[in-house]
Amino acid sequence: MAKALGAVVFTPYYTVSGLFRLIRDDDGLQLDFMTRVHGVRSFNGLRSRAAELELAGEKITVAALVDIIASKRSADRPRDRAVLDVLEKTLREAETARRPEGGERT
C-alpha cells in the first residue's frame, strides 16, 4: 500500500503497541495503522460499529466516534484527554441530529 501511495512506513515509538505510520512527504499525508487499540475488546466489534467511506476513489473503514472516545479514555495520555471534550460534544451533537424532531433521549 505504501508504495502505491508513494509513501514510507515507519514504526514510531508510542505506548500503543503495534503502531505503523504511513507518511507521504509530498502532501503531508499521514495514516496510522494499529494492530491493537486501547479500550476496544475486539476488531470484530470495532468493525461492526464502523462506517465505510470513500476517499480518493477508495473505500476505507473508519471507527465509530464512540469507539474512538473509548480508546482515547483508555489510553489516558495527555494528548488524548485534551481532545475528549471536543469528541464528546461532537458525539452528543450527532446523536441529537439523529433523533426525531422534538424527540426525547431515552
Side-chain angles (χ1 to χ4, degrees), residues 1 31-34 37 43-55 58-65 67-68:
M1 177 195 266
L31 299 172
D32 289 342
F33 298 89
M34 297 180 282
V37 180
F43 279 109
N44 287 337
L46 186 68
R47 186 181 323 254
S48 73
R49 293 179 295 277
E52 192 172 85
L53 305 173
E54 189 172 314
L55 178 67
E58 298 292 329
K59 290 184 181 179
I60 61 170
T61 304
V62 179
L65 189 52
D67 287 318
I68 294 169

Side-chain angles (χ1 to χ4, degrees), residues 15-30:
T15 56
V16 179
S17 62
L19 176 74
F20 299 91
R21 176 164 289 157
L22 185 143
I23 298 175
R24 184 169 61 200
D25 287 332
D26 294 346
D27 59 3
L29 174 71
Q30 182 173 303

Side-chain angles (χ1 to χ4, degrees), residues 3-103:
K3 185 176 180 179
L5 291 171
V8 177
V9 176
F10 292 92
T11 55
Y13 173 78
Y14 287 110
T15 56
V16 179
S17 62
L19 176 74
F20 299 91
R21 176 164 289 157
L22 185 143
I23 298 175
R24 184 169 61 200
D25 287 332
D26 294 346
D27 59 3
L29 174 71
Q30 182 173 303
L31 299 172
D32 289 342
F33 298 89
M34 297 180 282
T35 60
R36 179 174 169 263
V37 180
H38 288 282
V40 175
R41 296 174 102 176
S42 75
F43 279 109
N44 287 337
L46 186 68
R47 186 181 323 254
S48 73
R49 293 179 295 277
E52 192 172 85
L53 305 173
E54 189 172 314
L55 178 67
E58 298 292 329
K59 290 184 181 179
I60 61 170
T61 304
V62 179
L65 189 52
V66 68
D67 287 318
I68 294 169
I69 291 168
S71 175
K72 292 198 171 291
R73 270 200 192 117
S74 180
D76 199 33
R77 298 174 299 190
R79 66 175 169 217
D80 294 310
R81 289 190 302 267
V83 298
L84 276 174
D85 286 342
V86 172
L87 295 176
E88 289 168 341
K89 180 181 178 192
T90 301
L91 180 61
R92 285 191 304 273
E93 289 172 358
E95 289 171 344
T96 299
R98 283 193 299 267
R99 286 197 302 263
E101 189 70 29

